[in-house]
Amino acid sequence: RYLLEQDFPGMRIGPEPTTDSFIAVMYGETEGNVPGNALVVDPKKPFRKLSRFGNAFLNRFMCSQLPNEVLKSISIIDSPGILSGEKQRISRGYDFCQVLQWFAERVDRIILLFDAHKLDISDEFSEAIKSFRGQDDKIRVVLNKADQVDTQQLMRVYGALMWSLGKVIDTPEVLRVYIGSFWAHPLRNTDNRRLFEAEAQDLFKDIQSLPQKAAVRKLNDLIKRARLAKVHAYIISYLKKEMPSVFGKENKKKELINKLPEIYIQLQREYHISAGDFPEVKKMQELLENCDFTKFHSLKPKLIEAVDNMLANKIASLMNLITQEESNMPTEMVHGGAFDGTMAGPFGHGYGEGAKEGADEEEWVVAKDKPAYDEIFYTLSPINGKISGISAKKEMVTSKLPNSVLGKIWKLADCDGDGMLDDEEFALAKHLIKIKLDGYELPGTLPSHLVPPSHRKPFQTAE
């Protein structure tokens, strides 16, 4: 709702547990709903495989279509709220985690939402997060409603969230957590306004970059599936080879299923496969229980060679083609809704701050502090109204900024490139140092509003 800046059909927002459905929010010329059973038989929609989850799920699945600019670039799957307690989990009537896993394998980004005042990770939420195993690179975390707590409480909440997530997500990397208040209401606590704005901007950039990376992500998934298929072939062919031809098939099957961890280790050594490429042992054992091992196929080395050839040679050329295509096409970004609110104008992120300060003012922004800078300038013994690089360096190093940064500041401030600074250029250098010390980035080239008045080229007037 926050991203679209528009209500969508089937939307219900409230503090109580509201939607118990999966809603696919997609672009459509006319506004309306398509129920789950009709959705999975539509060849134009990518949901046909969801039919295996049965009626209990399909009755709680729908597609909400509306003509919204944001949805031209991305589609959003809104999942049901997470319940706590065993009873609620069973009463769903379908395997909730399996459905989440199906979506997780196919989406570009997974966003986990937490309320700043309701941090509890219930059993179901824990199971849901575990179903995203292998998709860690897609996960982002949003700590929402952060304006409802003060700074001290927010710091504690953030720490508690990271601790809770660390126990559930078994990964050495720290997940990216975006802190903010993602709704269009006034902030209750404005102490952290700048933090919320910066975090929202980072989240928007992350979502906006998704259309550009879609082709690479699909290629990445293809490579992942090819490696899994290859390992699967090795496991299945090994089980087939070990089966007796006549008697004791059932006993041998049970023995092989129990010995699966050892079989994994043996195959790793024999074919030099990484342990991370193998499917989870427990899940594989459960699936094998219902299989007839005698119907498995033997290993076909030619097919394995074809997969190896694809991974070694074909994928590299395909990657080059995608890179060339992307460079020739205009940059695809998500537009509309909340994404347009921070792009331009005085409420854009960073407007009037750092190097952008004074961009819309007639007077040179450095002028207000120039008297103080002039006092320092005249203590450095200028000759013919200019100070040498050595004199300027003595003053500039007092900022304790590294030489790489001071060198960049010197390059920006020495407008005429004569290796010396006049009073205006020196004032500019001090202003740029102040910008960097305040935590802002320096511009790559000097913006026109920061150019000292005496160094500005006069406008050519036509006679």
Side-chain angles (χ1 to χ4, degrees):
R1 171 67 184 80
Y2 178 77
L3 293 178
L4 301 180
E5 291 188 341
Q6 182 184 349
D7 288 355
F8 55 88
M11 183 191 87
R12 271 178 65 215
I13 296 172
E16 78 285 1
T18 48
T19 48
D20 66 341
S21 303
F22 280 87
I23 304 176
V25 188
M26 304 176 82
Y27 184 82
E29 291 299 329
T30 54
E31 200 170 303
N33 274 337
V34 182
N37 282 291
L39 206 54
V40 293
V41 293
D42 186 348
K44 292 178 183 176
K45 295 278 190 295
F47 304 119
R48 301 188 82 173
K49 294 279 174 73
L50 282 168
S51 57
R52 68 186 172 95
F53 294 108
N55 267 336
F57 165 70
L58 295 177
N59 289 338
R60 291 184 173 88
F61 178 49
M62 63 170 162
C63 177
S64 184
Q65 294 183 318
L66 64 155
N68 186 289
E69 190 73 21
V70 175
L71 299 173
K72 284 183 178 178
S73 311
I74 55 170
S75 295
I76 302 165
I77 308 295
D78 179 25
S79 66
I82 299 290
L83 305 170
S84 54
E86 188 69 16
K87 195 175 80 173
Q88 286 97 323
R89 184 166 55 189
I90 293 165
S91 69
R92 283 197 192 270
Y94 61 91
D95 194 329
F96 180 63
C97 291
Q98 282 286 310
V99 175
L100 285 179
Q101 194 175 350
W102 189 92
F103 279 115
E105 286 167 3
R106 288 157 178 82
V107 297
D108 294 284
R109 185 65 74 240
I110 300 164
I111 296 176
L112 300 178
L113 282 156
F114 289 89
D115 277 8
H117 50 81
K118 281 191 288 183
L119 269 194
D120 174 45
I121 297 183
S122 65
D123 295 347
E124 190 178 42
F125 204 176
S126 179
E127 288 299 313
I129 294 170
K130 282 174 186 170
S131 67
F132 300 144
R133 286 250 163 89
Q135 315 293 337
D136 302 342
D137 56 322
K138 297 178 180 178
I139 298 175
R140 301 289 184 272
V141 179
V142 170
L143 182 58
N144 198 12
K145 303 180 185 174
D147 64 317
Q148 298 190 9
V149 293
D150 61 34
T151 307
Q152 187 182 17
Q153 289 170 327
L154 182 60
M155 188 180 70
R156 287 178 184 160
V157 164
Y158 180 79
L161 175 62
M162 297 306 283
W163 183 77
S164 301
L165 285 171
K167 290 201 299 178
V168 179
I169 300 174
D170 189 19
T171 171
E173 290 90 16
V174 177
L175 283 172
R176 175 66 166 98
V177 178
Y178 298 94
I179 303 167
S181 180
F182 296 93
W183 65 350
H185 294 262
L187 299 176
R188 284 196 191 175
N189 194 321
T190 55
D191 295 352
N192 299 304
R193 185 186 185 107
R194 280 187 65 180
L195 169 70
F196 299 160
E197 285 172 0
E199 292 283 282
Q201 198 62 25
D202 285 355
L203 179 61
F204 286 174
K205 278 180 188 168
D206 187 66
I207 296 170
Q208 282 181 309
S209 67
L210 293 178
Q212 288 171 266
K213 297 174 185 169
V216 176
R217 200 267 307 162
K218 283 169 189 165
L219 187 62
N220 186 49
D221 282 354
L222 173 68
I223 297 164
K224 209 188 284 184
R225 287 175 74 85
R227 288 163 72 101
L228 286 170
K230 189 175 141 185
V231 173
H232 192 74
Y234 285 132
I235 297 167
I236 295 302
S237 61
Y238 181 89
L239 296 173
K240 162 82 173 175
K241 190 174 70 178
E242 292 295 306
M243 286 299 282
S245 52
V246 186
F247 301 111
K249 290 179 182 178
E250 272 306 308
N251 289 339
K252 189 63 179 175
K253 177 182 169 180
K254 283 176 186 172
E255 185 193 325
L256 287 169
I257 289 172
N258 290 332
K259 277 176 62 183
L260 199 61
E262 294 161 45
I263 294 168
Y264 276 15
I265 294 164
Q266 192 179 326
L267 291 172
Q268 281 172 44
R269 288 185 190 139
E270 192 178 336
Y271 297 106
H272 311 290
I273 308 166
S274 165
D277 284 351
F278 282 82
E280 203 182 326
V281 176
K282 262 189 179 179
K283 194 179 177 188
M284 195 66 175
Q285 285 172 327
E286 285 170 19
L287 292 168
L288 289 171
E289 290 280 353
N290 304 317
C291 297
D292 182 354
F293 288 13
T294 56
K295 289 183 179 174
F296 288 165
H297 293 280
S298 301
L299 192 69
K300 294 175 182 168
K302 278 195 172 179
L303 292 178
I304 296 291
E305 274 176 41
V307 173
D308 286 337
N309 178 43
M310 181 196 77
L311 292 172
N313 305 313
K314 303 279 173 69
I315 292 291
S317 57
L318 197 56
M319 190 70 209
N320 285 334
L321 285 171
I322 289 172
T323 311
Q324 285 171 18
E325 194 176 283
E326 282 181 350
S327 61
N328 295 333
M329 286 172 70
T331 308
E332 200 178 338
M333 296 280 275
V334 181
H335 290 286
F339 296 100
D340 286 352
T342 55
M343 292 213 184
F347 295 99
H349 180 65
Y351 187 91
E353 296 175 5
K356 296 174 186 172
E357 187 189 353
D360 52 2
E361 293 174 19
E362 282 186 28
E363 195 181 347
W364 188 40
V365 70
V366 186
K368 62 178 185 291
D369 296 317
K370 194 169 178 291
Y373 299 148
D374 282 349
E375 283 181 32
I376 301 166
F377 178 77
Y378 289 112
T379 62
L380 300 172
S381 311
I383 299 165
N384 297 328
K386 293 193 175 190
I387 56 169
S388 65
I390 295 167
S391 300
K393 183 182 176 181
K394 282 178 188 171
E395 172 57 33
M396 287 169 76
V397 294
T398 60
S399 65
K400 297 182 182 176
L401 287 170
N403 282 354
S404 57
V405 175
L406 292 174
K408 189 177 180 184
I409 289 170
W410 173 270
K411 203 173 170 184
L412 291 169
D414 186 13
C415 298
D416 51 15
D418 63 353
M420 303 178 88
L421 300 182
D422 61 26
D423 61 325
E424 286 187 346
E425 289 173 326
F426 178 76
L428 174 60
K430 291 291 282 180
H431 181 73
L432 292 170
I433 287 170
K434 181 173 171 284
I435 286 171
K436 191 64 189 170
L437 291 175
D438 286 345
Y440 298 102
E441 288 304 312
L442 293 170
T445 55
L446 194 66
S448 56
H449 70 277
L450 286 182
V451 176
S454 62
H455 292 270
R456 291 177 188 175
K457 290 175 184 173
F459 290 109
Q460 297 293 320
T461 52
E463 287 181 10

